[in-house]
Structures are given as structure tokens and as C-alpha cells.
Amino acid sequence: MSERRLADLLAMWRIRAFEEKVRDLRAEGTIVGSVHLCVGQEAVPVGACDALEPHDALFATYRGHGWALARGVPAQALFAELAGRASGVNGGRGGSAYFTAAEYGFHGENSIVGAGAPIACGAALAGRHDGSNRVAVSVFGDGAMNQGAVHEAMNFAAAFCLPVVFVCENNRYSELTPIADMVRNQRLADRAAAYGMPGHRVDGNDVEAVRFHVRDALEAAREGGGPTLLECMTERLVGHYIGDAETYRQPGELERIARREPIARLREGLLADGVPAADLDAVERGARAEMASAAERALAAPLADPATAREHLYA
Amino acid sequence: MPELSYGEAVNAALHRLMEELPETLVYGEDVALPGGVFGVTRGLRKRYGDRVFDTPISESAILGSAVGAAMFGRRPIVEIMWADFSLVALDQIVNQAANVRYVSGGRLRAPLTIRTQQGNAPGACAQHSQCLEALFLHVPGLRVCMPSTPQDAYDLLVTAVHADDPVLVVENRTLYFGPKEPVTTDGPVRPMGGARTRRTGSDVTLVTWGAMTHRVLAAAEALARDGVEAEVLETPWLNPFDTEAVIESARRTRRLAVVHEANVTGGFGAEVVARVAGAGVALAAPPIRIGAPDVRMPAAPVLAQALIPDAARIIEDVKGLIAGAR
């Protein structure tokens, strides 16, 4: 048991260390443009991806670094992509907010809020015809729940009983605005009932809870039960984007949510179970060393070749 | 060789594609059991079962799922009932479909075909009459074509669905129930692009596409009776566009008019004129664009007729072009 929890801790630390490295590289200008970090939300991708099969299709959002890492995309290729290197997962065409790595079952981030949900339906639809029994996972934030495309996708998946798991990462902010100000019923999972599918609110800072619910939803989808909506309650410990002044935060809020964040929580649990602190520190150190080295190797690679900028538009 | 109307030719192409490409899916609003509001998808559901299905009235879901299914090896042919309705889900066309191949460096592709129809028919309101091709032509990554004959309605759709890129096939509902013509239905898949010289002439080049082709041809025949020989070049493929064919013709006739049903400002006619000008073609008179004026489209037939170029207006404008020659 504690072995799996240690693996979870490592997976979450890898994401956090990656994000903190990205933050530093963005600050020094090695990475440019919009960058959206998922610090504090690591338990959702780690718990969810653990339950996925290689042939399942994952569609994430612009806050997708963690999902890509959890899905197995190499950190070095991600750093390279963020830094505009030829060796990046998309040769510099995707960037932080819109990269894809289909060979790892990571079918892309999306810079358009909610746009991935209908596309995920298509991946599931294709699976119905190619016999793969593939499940598509569509990840989006609480803000996306108010996008028309997400409503259309949920109804489409439900009407056709498509194997789609809709994962809403409810970090309580729609970009810079509290979701509480934007909806009347704050239990977003309740909306599932309107489409005739199961909807559950999950403790998204508890990696085990996420794993349990995603596994359940995947199983139902694979057995022909159709889609599920999971509302994973979490918090980001950072701004919407790097540079966000976070003026919308309440006094003391960050300190409050830091006490619930998934890595500290898991660490406390492991300590209580008798795992030595030194072992836990070693996990963190290992993740940080891996990411420092991956970033270093990524940045040693040449920039994307301008001569290739026009390639791959058409077949 | 069967005699088919434009609508029947589309239907025949769909049947062929379902037969020869098992990865095709046909879906959209009312396309399966009802067979489409214009009857164009009739018989497909019965023959191909769940590869043909009706969807909710959800253009984002239709187009987005087509993008996803195409990424995973299907070849969806989706119908957007009216081109105007594509606007409620433009994101899936412009931000999603058009980006798949490019951003993934060619490792993913989105071979979906969007069938839609546009143009003004008597009594159609302002939200069922727009000609939107220029909007899609502004988007790199999308292929766009607009057939005007039964043969092209057949051929272009076959080509579009065989293509590994997202293609918009913009039909025109005023043509669906037009005259039947012999259509070659067992020919090879033709390449994209190319212009059709519908009429040869030496005095002026008239470039056109879509339903306007028929009006331009009628105008050209009338002009000939008045001694003006117009060359009519139809360009059913707008991306890829056969710029060379237009330049070659304009170089010979030294006069150019582009005629489209869409309104003039920002229309693709401007692009055609710019390409000919940019090629340094020496023209005897400034080129002209003939299109709808920049207004909304009224429902009353007499009002709409006053706006959309007809043969009489084309004749008048072309005569003005010829008279202005120096």
C-alpha cells in the first residue's frame, strides 16, 4: 500500500518540480508566452492517468503539463516544446498551452476553453467503429462548464452512450473570477443528471479518491454504460497564468488552501504510516533532480528551424 | 452513365464513398432517417446502418466529434445543414480542425469533410442566405470547394473525402433539384484544384464559382450576341486555387471581372484581383468585382433579387468594363 502511495508522491512531485522549473525558466525568459501552471492540482492527473489504458485518449486543457507528465510524456520533450526547441513534442508548434503527444495517448491541450470536449466525443465514437473499446477522457476546468461546447458534448456523449469520462478540475476560479459568482448551483456535478449520466463530486486533492472514481467511470464506459462527469475539487496554489497578480484572492486564502494541497497531505499520511521522513525527502529530491536535468538537456538542443515554419499545413 | 441532378450526384458520391472507404461515417442533423432536408443523404442509413446517424442540433458537437473521430482513423462526412449554422461552431473548424496537422507536425491528421450549402433562394431569410466562402478561405489548413454541376458535385465530394485534410464542400441548394445530366460515377479520384474553362473568349475573362457560374454563362452568351466574347473560367476549388489558369486567361483577354454571390468587401474576388495584379498582368482596363452589395440579405424575393448579381447586371458591368478600356 505505501509503495503505491510513494509512487503517487513521486508522480506528484515530478509534476510540481516540472512546474516550478517552468516558472523559473519563464521568469528568466527562456520560456515565453502564456504559461498556466497546475501547482496544487497534481492529484487529479496522477490519480486519473493511473487508471487509463495506453489506447485511451486524453484531451486536456491549457493547464495540461501535469496531465502530459502523468500520461508518460517525457519531461525533456515537454521542456523542449515550451522553450521552442526543434526536439519539442511538436517541434515548437504547440507551446505551453497547445501541445499534443498522441503517441503517449495525450491528444492535446487546448487553448480554447471547453473545445476539447466535443473532440473527445469523436475519439470515443471512432472507438465504437474500430473495435478498440477506447475510452476518451475530456479534462476541463470549472469555467468550461459554462461553455456551450461542453454542454453539447455531454449531451452528445450521453445520447449516444459514448465511452467518455468528463473530468472537471474545479479549482474554484474561472480564470480570474470565482466560479461561485458565475453559477447558481455550485455543485457542478449535479449537471450530469440533466444529461442522464452519473455525476460525482470528488476530493480532487486526494489522489486515491480520484483514482477510485476515474477507474469506476472507465469501467462503466468500457462496459457500455456511457459517460460520467467527475467534478474534482481542487485548488491551484498559483495564479491563472504566470504573471497573474491574483488580486482576486481573499486574505489568508493561499495559506488556507496550502494546508489541503495534495502533496503535503499525502506526505503527512505516509509519515503517520511510519514511512521515514528521509525517504519522503528523497522522493522530492529525486523529482527535482530529474526535472533539472531534463530541462538542462532540453535547453541544450537547437531552437526550431525557421525553415520548417511552413511545413505540415496540408497532407 | 446515370443521369443525375446535382443533389442526386451528391447522394451517389456518398454511396460510393461509403462503399469504398469503410472508415467513413455520415452524420449531422436529420441526415439519417429523414435522409436530409434536401433528400441528399437518402438511403444511406438503410444501407450502411450505424455508420450513418442523426445528431442533436449541436454544431459544436457535430464538428468537434468529427475532428476527434478523424484524429482516430475515421473519415467523417458531416453535414452542416446551412452554412450560416457553421458560425455557431466556428471554433471547431478554425481553431481545432485546421490546427491538427500543423501543430502535431503531421503526426495527427483530421481528414473530415464538412458538407454544407449556402446561397440565396427565394424567401430565405438573412440567416439562411449568406455566402461565407471567403471566411473559410482566410483560414490556412482548410480546403474549400464549391461545385456547380452534377459532375463536379460528385467529383469534388469524392476528392474531398479521400483527402487527408479537412475539406469544406459548399453546395448550393438552388442547384440540388436542377436538371439531370449524365454523370461519370466510376471514374478515378481526381486531384484537388484546377479551373474549368466553361466558355472560351478573347475579350474579357470572367472568373466565377458556385451557383453564380450559371448566371455568368447566361451573361456570356448574351454578351456574345452583342459582339463581346467572354471567357468563363469556373474555379470550383477555391483552396487550392488555380491562380495560374486565371493569370493565363487574363493575360490573353487583358480584361478581368470576378463574379461571386458573396458581398464584395473582403470577398474572395478581391484576392483573385490582387493575385492577377501581383503577377504583373498588363490589363487594358481596371479589373472589376461583381458581387452582392455590402448589406444584409432580405427575405422578400424582389428585395433579394435587387442585390444578388443576375445575368443582366453582369452584362451591364462587363460592358462597362469593356467601354472603359483604354
Side-chain angles (χ1 to χ4, degrees):
Chain A
M1 187 62 183
S2 71
E3 205 167 291
R4 183 161 84 185
R5 296 168 83 198
L6 274 170
D8 285 341
L9 186 71
L10 174 62
M12 291 197 287
W13 262 120
R14 287 182 76 246
I15 295 172
R16 184 157 303 179
F18 180 91
E19 296 291 60
E20 290 181 358
K21 188 73 194 169
V22 168
R23 179 198 59 201
D24 296 347
L25 293 172
R26 179 66 181 80
E28 69 181 46
T30 305
I31 292 171
V32 294
S34 282
V35 178
H36 308 81
L37 302 178
C38 67
V39 175
Q41 303 186 184
E42 296 89 347
V44 190
V46 168
C49 289
D50 192 37
L52 292 177
E53 297 290 335
H55 69 270
D56 292 332
L58 174 68
F59 297 84
T61 70
Y62 50 78
R63 203 179 302 287
H65 303 165
W67 286 93
L69 286 167
R71 196 73 175 112
V73 184
Q76 185 181 333
L78 290 177
F79 278 124
E81 181 61 29
L82 271 47
R85 262 49 181 185
S87 51
V89 281
N90 303 124
R93 285 170 159 74
S96 167
Y98 187 44
F99 63 74
T100 180
E103 59 274 41
Y104 296 93
F106 183 82
H107 287 274
E109 299 184 292
N110 213 303
S111 285
I112 308 296
V113 170
I119 302 176
C121 290
L125 179 66
R128 173 161 295 172
H129 291 272
D130 65 19
S132 65
N133 209 21
R134 167 191 313 117
V135 178
V137 178
S138 171
V139 183
F140 44 82
D142 45 284
M145 286 293 283
N146 296 330
Q147 271 282 353
V150 173
H151 290 271
E152 291 193 17
M154 287 189 183
N155 182 61
F156 193 88
F160 298 139
C161 204
L162 291 172
V164 183
V165 180
F166 295 101
V167 177
C168 173
E169 297 181 289
N170 186 347
N171 64 18
R172 302 186 301 116
Y173 287 104
S174 302
E175 303 195 353
L176 315 183
T177 301
I179 184 68
D181 294 350
M182 298 292 118
V183 296
R184 188 146 179 184
N185 175 358
Q186 292 182 41
R187 278 188 66 94
L188 303 178
D190 286 355
R191 295 189 188 182
Y195 300 108
M197 65 175 161
H200 304 289
R201 189 173 246 199
V202 180
D203 181 349
N205 284 355
D206 178 348
V207 64
E208 199 53 51
V210 174
R211 178 185 285 116
F212 173 81
H213 281 280
V214 171
R215 185 160 281 166
D216 225 31
L218 286 168
E219 200 172 306
R222 275 190 234 288
E223 287 170 1
T228 299
L229 169 63
L230 299 176
E231 180 191 12
C232 298
M233 303 305 294
T234 184
E235 284 122 342
R236 58 172 154 77
L237 295 166
V238 293
H240 167 56
Y241 55 94
I242 294 182
D244 174 2
E246 299 182 69
T247 50
Y248 47 86
R249 299 273 195 196
Q250 300 299 311
E253 178 181 324
L254 278 171
E255 293 72 18
R256 241 186 350 265
I257 66 178
R259 286 198 291 272
R260 293 198 291 267
E261 65 99 352
I263 291 183
R265 249 172 76 169
L266 184 55
R267 183 188 161 89
E268 277 166 31
L270 284 160
L271 280 172
D273 283 354
V275 180
D279 292 7
L280 302 176
D281 294 342
V283 169
E284 175 183 347
R285 268 199 315 278
R288 289 191 185 283
E290 180 202 344
M291 293 306 160
S293 151
E296 194 180 332
R297 279 178 283 126
L299 297 176
L303 291 171
D305 180 357
T308 65
R310 291 164 186 252
E311 290 175 3
H312 301 301
L313 187 60
Y314 298 107
Chain B
M1 196 183 292
E3 298 246 334
L4 302 173
S5 69
Y6 182 96
E8 289 166 346
V10 176
N11 182 265
L14 289 169
H15 275 277
R16 166 180 169 165
L17 291 158
M18 292 298 277
E19 289 287 351
E20 76 185 7
L21 296 171
E23 70 270 31
T24 49
L25 303 171
V26 170
Y27 62 96
E29 295 156 9
D30 301 330
V31 301
L33 294 174
V37 288
F38 304 103
V40 171
T41 50
R42 208 168 274 163
L44 291 165
R45 169 74 180 195
K46 203 170 175 187
R47 187 167 308 173
Y48 303 104
D50 65 0
R51 284 171 63 205
V52 181
F53 58 94
D54 293 310
T55 65
I57 302 174
S58 302
E59 280 78 7
S60 289
I62 295 168
L63 292 165
S65 65
V67 173
M71 284 164 67
F72 281 85
R74 297 299 99 186
R75 213 168 268 274
I77 308 167
V78 293
E79 179 177 301
I80 297 300
M81 199 185 278
W82 253 259
D84 314 69
F85 304 167
S86 68
L87 303 180
V88 300
L90 214 47
D91 173 60
Q92 289 296 341
I93 305 175
V94 179
N95 284 321
Q96 310 302 331
N99 266 317
V100 169
R101 176 180 293 280
Y102 184 76
V103 171
S104 69
R107 279 176 299 163
L108 286 173
R109 54 194 193 133
L112 67 141
T113 300
I114 303 167
R115 278 188 50 248
T116 188
Q117 56 79 25
Q118 70 176 24
N120 182 261
C125 73
Q127 294 165 336
H128 288 68
S129 295
Q130 297 170 92
C131 290
L132 300 174
E133 69 270 21
L135 216 125
F136 297 113
L137 289 164
H138 194 64
V139 181
L142 300 178
R143 300 298 197 180
V144 180
C145 63
M146 288 177 60
S148 76
T149 65
Q151 186 68 62
D152 268 346
Y154 182 91
D155 287 338
L156 269 51
L157 182 56
V158 170
T159 299
V161 175
H162 275 269
D164 284 339
D165 291 315
V167 186
L168 273 115
V169 181
V170 184
E171 297 159 8
N172 190 297
R173 73 183 165 288
T174 65
L175 303 177
Y176 283 135
F177 305 105
K180 291 179 191 275
E181 289 173 12
V183 175
T184 304
T185 54
D186 51 4
V189 180
R190 292 162 192 276
M192 274 188 255
R196 315 272 188 265
T197 304
R198 298 290 186 199
R199 189 181 190 285
T200 55
S202 54
D203 296 329
V204 59
T205 296
L206 305 182
V207 178
T208 191
W209 50 83
M212 200 52 63
T213 303
H214 301 287
R215 293 182 179 197
V216 171
L217 281 168
E221 292 306 320
L223 284 163
R225 289 194 287 276
D226 291 342
V228 174
E229 291 297 335
E231 181 144 298
V232 177
L233 213 57
E234 185 198 358
T235 51
W237 282 97
L238 294 168
N239 180 357
F241 184 75
D242 193 345
T243 306
E244 278 313 303
V246 175
I247 289 171
E248 192 276 325
S249 176
R251 212 165 247 150
R252 252 184 313 103
T253 65
R254 303 185 68 230
R255 293 185 190 88
L256 173 68
V258 189
V259 190
H260 55 55
E261 189 176 337
N263 62 304
V264 168
T265 297
F268 196 67
E271 178 66 27
V272 176
V273 167
R275 289 188 193 186
V276 171
V281 176
L283 296 174
I288 60 169
R289 291 173 286 159
I290 303 172
D294 299 324
V295 297
R296 306 307 310 178
M297 198 50 62
V302 290
L303 296 179
Q305 277 164 23
L307 301 175
I308 298 170
D310 56 9
R313 191 179 135 202
I314 297 165
I315 292 164
E316 187 187 339
D317 286 3
V318 170
K319 281 185 173 171
L321 169 68
I322 304 272
R326 287 179 292 276

